[in-house]
Amino acid sequence: MNRTLKELILAAEFAAIISVLSQMTIPFGLVPLTGQTFAIGLTATFLGRKLGLISVTIYLLLGLIGLPVFSGMTGGIAVLFGPTGGYLIGFLFQTWLTGWMIEKTDAHYLYAIFANLMGSLAALVCGTIWLKISGDLTFTTAFASGLLPFLLPEAIKAIGAAYMGVLMKKRLNRFLRMN
């Protein structure tokens, strides 16, 4: 994995973006829209699979050592291994799947939306499984409380992340061609 300094700085910048957006919440019915999963989708769309994974790993490590980077200004090992820790680990699967799917195309908006939806679903499934195990819940209860209420908010954020990520890539490519 020979990474340039520019790529590693970009990954660190996106880890900071994820940290900041994780603190933003928009009330939306019973389940608020947080910027955390939007930022993960944006990172995967813009950086791709490998660099996106580095960025999300940096973010998770920052939270693991106790920095308050997770949603609600939380951090620490207890959060990572608590009931919602599966969603945090699921971000790695989300980033890998979304980035991989987008790298296989020319980053068309519709395909980026599909890739983000699939990545978000992967994170939700991972989180729901962990919620079931850590909370000693039935699959029905875990599904009803850990996946179902989040489908619409995640779909909204996935569409937004796909649109913004593709738009940013196109603008950056246009800028680089001009210089």
Side-chain angles (χ1 to χ4, degrees):
M1 295 238 319
N2 187 12
R3 295 278 166 213
T4 67
L5 181 59
K6 283 183 184 179
E7 288 175 320
L8 294 176
I9 290 171
L10 191 59
E13 288 172 339
F14 268 85
I17 289 169
I18 297 167
S19 300
V20 170
L21 289 179
S22 291
Q23 309 317 314
M24 297 184 180
T25 303
I26 300 168
F28 183 74
L30 295 174
V31 179
L33 290 172
T34 64
Q36 188 175 39
T37 51
F38 169 82
I40 298 294
L42 179 66
T43 300
T45 302
F46 188 76
L47 295 181
R49 174 179 44 119
K50 291 179 183 175
L51 202 52
L53 274 174
I54 292 171
S55 182
V56 172
T57 300
I58 292 169
Y59 167 71
L60 292 174
L61 288 173
L62 290 172
L64 181 66
I65 64 170
L67 294 178
V69 296
F70 299 144
S71 183
M73 294 291 285
T74 58
I77 196 164
V79 176
L80 202 57
F81 291 103
T84 60
Y87 298 101
L88 294 169
I89 299 302
F91 292 161
L92 295 169
F93 295 105
Q94 178 181 358
T95 304
W96 187 91
L97 182 60
T98 302
W100 176 77
M101 290 177 77
I102 290 174
E103 287 172 0
K104 297 295 177 190
T105 68
D106 61 352
H108 184 271
Y109 286 109
L110 290 178
Y111 198 76
I113 289 170
F114 178 72
N116 270 275
L117 288 171
M118 292 299 99
S120 292
L121 185 60
L124 282 174
V125 167
C126 187
T128 301
I129 291 169
W130 180 255
L131 183 64
K132 186 245 181 280
I133 294 167
S134 69
D136 196 28
L137 305 174
T138 65
F139 273 113
T140 306
T141 304
F143 178 80
S145 61
L147 190 132
L148 199 54
F150 296 97
L151 289 176
L152 180 59
E154 286 304 311
I156 292 168
K157 293 184 276 187
I159 292 168
Y163 178 77
M164 289 298 297
V166 171
L167 181 65
M168 287 169 50
K169 280 175 118 172
K170 287 183 177 186
R171 295 270 169 96
L172 180 63
N173 286 338
R174 188 178 328 141
F175 174 77
L176 292 174
R177 280 192 304 262
M178 291 172 54
N179 290 330

